[in-house]
């Protein structure tokens, strides 16, 4: 089946630094990619939706200047957490959707665990 | 390799009971999650099992057998709003999530 990868799988950084997380669809072209944040034993919180070549659509309450999303190609989207603070520590998950309409399928990445000291 | 298997699609009748199975082969195990996802929406957390046995939460129950690499999600008294995709995901020894492809559940009146 389709595979979505994320890199890095885990990262520890100091407060105030920026961290970039990559999301790649390995064997298909993703028309749309999603970025989620997972809280322990909670639902995945959708942060933003990105379409290749256009600006990302952010959910209410998500700071677009803090969480920069770039969807440069049909196989790669990046999330940059700028000036990270301890409260940004979380598990970030991306997903990629292929196709369109009723036939589209969403594939999830393995997640990236961010710890901000 | 790591693998999660669940049926692609299931159909059930309103008011009935349905069981969605999930089998897994992963490098290590740090818990199994079930999520519900309605079309166009973010997945909603349903359950987390890390020990063997059955966990009941209202109409939904989740069962885990680590020795068999097997889990199921049991939905009782089905309602039309339960029509959705149900995702099984296992957290491996590196705390990475391995996702199943999801089971599309269709509820008929």
């Amino acid at each position: 089946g389709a595979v979505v990868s994320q890199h890095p799988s885990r990262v520890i950084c100091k407060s105030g630094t920026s961290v970039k997380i990559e999301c790649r669809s390995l064997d298909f072209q993703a028309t749309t990619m999603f970025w989620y944040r997972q809280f322990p034993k909670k639902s995945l919180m959708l942060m933003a939706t990105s379409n290749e070549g256009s600006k990302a659509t952010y959910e209410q309450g998500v700071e677009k200047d803090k969480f920069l999303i770039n969807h440069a190609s049909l196989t790669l989207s990046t999330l940059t957490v700028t000036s990270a603070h301890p409260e940004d520590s979380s598990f970030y998950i991306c997903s990629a959707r292929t196709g369109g309409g009723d036939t589209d399928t969403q594939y999830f990445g393995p997640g990236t665990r961010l710890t901000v000291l | 390799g790591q693998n999660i298997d669940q049926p692609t699609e299931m159909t059930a009748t309103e008011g009935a009971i349905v069981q969605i199975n999930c089998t897994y082969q992963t490098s290590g195990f740090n818990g199994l999650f079930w999520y519900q996802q309605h079309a166009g929406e973010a997945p909603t957390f349903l359950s987390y099992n890390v020990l063997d046995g059955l966990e009941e939460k209202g109409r939904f129950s989740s069962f885990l057998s680590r020795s068999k690499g097997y889990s199921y999600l049991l939905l009782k008294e089905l309602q039309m709003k339960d029509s959705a995709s149900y995702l099984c995901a296992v957290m491996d020894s590196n705390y990475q999530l391995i996702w199943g492809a999801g089971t599309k559940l269709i509820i008929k009146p």
Side-chain angles (χ1 to χ4, degrees):
Chain A
V3 177
V4 173
S5 71
Q6 285 183 236
H7 177 79
S9 58
R10 64 181 72 181
V11 57
I12 301 173
C13 69
K14 293 182 179 180
S15 184
T17 61
S18 294
V19 175
K20 180 186 283 188
I21 303 170
E22 291 185 351
C23 176
R24 292 181 185 273
S25 57
L26 297 184
D27 56 1
F28 67 99
Q29 292 184 327
T31 54
T32 306
M33 286 185 168
F34 305 87
W35 285 97
Y36 298 89
R37 185 170 174 175
Q38 184 190 44
F39 297 92
K41 296 185 181 181
K42 297 282 187 182
S43 301
L44 299 182
M45 185 194 82
L46 179 63
M47 299 174 66
T49 302
S50 73
N51 294 293
E52 185 263 342
S54 62
K55 290 183 179 181
T57 302
Y58 289 81
E59 296 299 304
Q60 192 173 12
V62 178
E63 300 175 59
K64 62 179 68 176
D65 293 332
K66 181 170 185 60
F67 298 100
L68 301 178
I69 291 173
N70 185 299
H71 195 157
S73 75
L74 285 171
T75 59
L76 173 65
S77 176
T78 60
L79 168 69
T80 302
V81 183
T82 62
S83 187
H85 288 94
E87 58 265 29
D88 299 324
S89 297
S90 191
F91 197 55
Y92 293 88
I93 298 171
C94 75
S95 70
R97 188 169 70 191
T98 182
D102 293 338
T103 61
D104 67 341
T105 303
Q106 191 175 7
Y107 300 95
F108 288 85
T112 297
R113 187 166 301 280
L114 171 64
T115 304
V116 185
L117 302 176
Chain B
Q2 308 204 92
N3 195 51
I4 308 282
D5 283 317
Q6 53 181 129
T8 304
E9 186 174 297
M10 299 182 71
T11 302
T13 305
E14 190 176 15
I17 300 172
V18 71
Q19 177 174 310
I20 302 174
N21 296 326
C22 172
T23 57
Y24 63 90
Q25 292 175 310
T26 58
S27 55
F29 180 82
N30 277 300
L32 185 145
F33 297 80
W34 281 99
Y35 288 90
Q36 178 192 60
Q37 186 179 27
H38 286 99
E41 298 181 14
T44 302
F45 171 82
L46 292 179
S47 66
Y48 171 70
N49 294 66
V50 66
L51 299 176
D52 289 351
L54 183 69
E55 297 227 356
E56 298 183 76
K57 194 185 295 184
R59 294 189 298 114
F60 292 5
S61 302
S62 58
F63 171 83
L64 174 68
S65 168
R66 288 172 296 171
S67 62
K68 295 181 180 179
Y70 167 69
S71 173
Y72 67 71
L73 179 70
L74 191 71
L75 293 77
K76 303 176 186 176
E77 300 169 20
L78 286 171
Q79 302 174 10
M80 297 303 293
K81 67 178 183 180
D82 297 330
S83 292
S85 285
Y86 291 85
L87 300 164
C88 172
V90 171
M91 189 161 275
D92 68 10
S93 57
N94 292 317
Y95 295 95
Q96 295 280 278
L97 281 173
I98 314 301
W99 294 87
T103 298
K104 183 177 181 180
L105 178 63
I106 300 168
I107 309 295
K108 295 186 175 179

